Amino acid sequence: SSEKAISLIALEENNIPYVFPQRVIDEAEAAKAAGMAHRDDWRDLPLITIDPADARDHDDAVYAKPDPDNAGGHIVTVAIADVAYYVR
């Protein structure tokens, strides 16, 4: 795709390494799943992504449900994934 071509050109023009040393690959393969301590688990919410179709990451989502304490109102949950927490 043209996006990939642009990325490759940017890597080359800016001397950004994209081939990783074996020690980096080994460390990535040895990484363990991130824990849920001090985090809310929203995996059971039927979240809908709000990122545009051409987004490079789909980490923003919303969920809304009627507010039982406010007739006609809604409770809206906005979820923005903390990617940096999982990808160190």
Side-chain angles (χ1 to χ4, degrees):
S1 73
S2 62
E3 286 182 13
K4 184 175 181 179
I6 291 169
S7 295
L8 291 173
I9 291 168
L11 290 172
E12 187 66 32
E13 286 182 352
N14 294 288
N15 293 320
I16 299 172
Y18 58 92
V19 176
F20 299 101
Q22 188 60 46
R23 67 177 175 75
V24 173
I25 294 169
D26 292 344
E27 184 177 336
E29 289 175 349
K32 295 183 173 100
M36 291 299 293
H38 310 293
R39 299 200 161 271
D40 293 329
D41 186 350
W42 290 355
R43 290 177 289 185
D44 289 334
L45 283 180
L47 294 159
I48 298 172
T49 186
I50 57 174
D51 292 290
D54 62 348
R56 297 184 72 94
D57 60 352
H58 293 266
D59 57 356
D60 305 322
V62 296
Y63 168 69
K65 66 180 181 180
D67 184 348
D69 299 323
N70 180 14
H74 287 78
I75 298 171
V76 178
T77 301
V78 178
I80 302 172
D82 184 2
V83 177
Y85 178 81
Y86 297 98
V87 180
R88 308 269 168 135

